[in-house]
Amino acid sequence: MRFVIARYPFDLEKSEVEEKMKGVKAEPVTGASVIISRRTYPVKQVGEVITRQDRRDFTAAEVTRALTRLGFTCRDLSVPAPAPALTPLQAASALLGSPADA
């Protein structure tokens, strides 16, 4: 399939991407990721390997779109909202329970 990543056209097949990623150690995932051959890679790392361009030259969305069209499973790492901190009074109340629990 033909894709445009960072304003350059690429003809990629799923098997080519799998072959290029063979033996490449996956970096820690901090954002969008893709599963290739049971390994989870950051999308930007895969984009760098398959296009041989610097990661700053393309967006994660461009690579995600291309990999999804090729049939790979892509995930977006959503950062969960931190739980609100309990005040000491709320923490003690939670430990003691409510009168209805007794």
Side-chain angles (χ1 to χ4, degrees):
M1 295 181 108
R2 190 174 210 51
F3 302 101
V4 176
I5 300 173
R7 300 179 311 272
Y8 292 99
F10 293 94
D11 288 317
L12 298 171
E13 297 297 325
K14 186 173 184 174
S15 59
E16 287 178 289
V17 174
E18 290 171 335
E19 187 63 34
K20 287 182 179 183
M21 294 308 294
K22 239 183 226 179
V24 176
K25 185 179 178 191
E27 297 173 358
V29 176
T30 58
S33 63
V34 60
I35 299 173
I36 300 174
S37 302
R38 297 185 298 175
R39 282 189 164 169
T40 303
Y41 294 94
V43 169
K44 290 280 224 169
Q45 179 185 11
V46 175
E48 184 176 51
V49 171
I50 63 176
T51 65
R52 292 180 297 227
Q53 295 180 350
D54 191 272
R55 296 177 193 204
R56 296 171 290 185
D57 293 341
F58 53 84
T59 65
E62 289 176 300
V63 179
T64 299
R65 193 175 319 114
L67 293 173
T68 300
R69 284 183 56 202
L70 286 174
F72 291 104
T73 302
C74 297
R75 296 184 179 152
D76 184 27
L77 181 66
S78 300
V79 179
L86 297 177
T87 66
L89 179 62
Q90 291 171 327
S93 295
L95 289 173
L96 293 174
S98 65
D101 292 340

